[in-house]
Amino acid sequence: MVDKETLVAWDKRYLWHPFTQMQDWLAEEPVIIERGDGCYLIDIAGNRYIDGVASMWTNVHGHNHPELNAALKTQIDKVAHTTLLGYSNIPAIELARKLVELTPVGLNKVFYSDNGSTAVEIALKMAYQYWQHRGEPQRKLFIHFDKAYHGDTIGAMSVGGIDSFHTTFDSLLFKGIRVSAPEPYRSNNPAVKVQWLKAVESKLSEYTGQVAGIILEPLIQGAGGMLISPQGFLKELAVLAKRSETLLIVDEVMTGMGRTGKMWACEHETVTPDLLCTAKGLAAGYLPLAATLTTDEVYNAFLGEYKDLKTFFHGHTFTGNPLACAVALENIAIFEREDLLSRLQPTIEHFRNRLQEFRKLPHVGDVRVCGLAAGVELMKNPDTNTPYPFEEKVGIRVCKEALTRGAILRPLVNTIVLMPPLQISISELDTLLDIVYKSIATGTE
Ligand SMILES: *Cc1c(COP(=O)(O)O)cnc(C)c1O
């Protein structure tokens, strides 16, 4: 193996890291992970860290999981990749059936891709083309929300609402209907629900017959800062979508696969969307895999003679990759065998209760929890609602503190995100929360 110093040198010389100011990176010592062991990651120096953000919100059953590894090994001894363009493969078929069984009734067709952004692009393109086949080509616009995050590709950015990520690319983005957040935006406040819904209703009437779909992250806006939707918002939004006969697209890229305590966030409000996107946890955090599910209604609109060009002309090279699908099937099998969703409930309860203590810290503003995901918002002065200036990098500072105490985290600006693997034990969760508590206390001094 290449020695540690060489790896560090090569990293700095050859790599460009995502969402990273490389000038800062070059000035610091990188953590280079070599192995995983359950909820822990181990770096090349042998340090063990608890994975507090499930490796970018993806990991479900822990790292280096024997059964997931075995599923991959079994599949790789058969074939690693074959295309779904014009051909099929066994794991892709079996997983599609399983996903239809697992998602809300009515979602009957599965279209694969490789990541959350593409799952969203597909949902948008399907909705857009659907209306052309339905004879309503003027339905071209998507309603989307402030603080929303749907990915980094151009289409997904076009329906996003995080200015710091998106304004640079403004002139590249397609036009949509952005619903502004009520001011001040205290996310889980019932008054916010009324204001959001009123705003959507007014956009729907302003753009009657022009709305192709409404896209949102159900229950919680993730990358926007772990902002919890008011209870009932999704349900009432679904009613508005139905009433105006537009399509409802739920982006469950983060919330799907058990993160909120149910398999899908939309189950909490018994909503069946017209399109559902899933990615991050789909292949248990092992491989890039995504799926966009839709109804027979949408699917059937694309049927026709070859010459009619009603085909959905979209597909990625690695769509339906057999290795990724095989590991996703095992991922779901473990959920079922271990009754993980039931076992998760006391863990979530404990997580929620312990996080309440964090409010006692002098620089903690809001603490937001949804299932096994949380955001702890750091504030210069919570009493006067004064945020930390961006350039103080307080989120990064706290995460560095956590690293020295043995936890891997990644902030969203001034919000500390907690999103451990779903299989985390209560005692591991306590270890993580103790580290984060101390790191906030010292990192905000
Ligand atoms: C992460 C995320 C995406 C983008 O997924 P990628 O795999 O990073 O492209 C889209 N939507 C939501 C809600 C996400 O959290």
Side-chain angles (χ1 to χ4, degrees), residues 21-86:
Q21 175 43 259
M22 291 307 289
Q23 186 173 307
D24 290 348
W25 180 273
L26 294 176
E28 283 162 20
E29 188 73 2
V31 174
I32 303 174
I33 303 298
E34 188 181 4
R35 282 180 300 124
D37 174 20
C39 292
Y40 284 84
L41 293 168
I42 300 142
D43 72 8
I44 52 174
N47 298 308
R48 284 170 70 87
Y49 308 95
I50 195 157
D51 188 356
V53 283
S55 294
M56 212 50 239
W57 316 353
T58 60
N59 195 280
V60 181
H61 305 294
H63 298 278
N64 207 355
H65 189 284
E67 286 143 25
L68 293 169
N69 291 7
L72 266 177
K73 286 173 189 163
T74 304
Q75 180 57 40
I76 208 166
D77 282 336
K78 294 177 183 163
V79 66
H81 182 65
T82 65
T83 183
L84 281 199
L85 280 73

Side-chain angles (χ1 to χ4, degrees), residues 68 71-72 74-75 91-92 95 289 321-331:
L68 293 169
L72 266 177
T74 304
Q75 180 57 40
L95 179 62
L289 178 68
N321 173 261
L323 284 174
C325 291
V327 79
L329 274 165
E330 185 59 23
N331 177 20

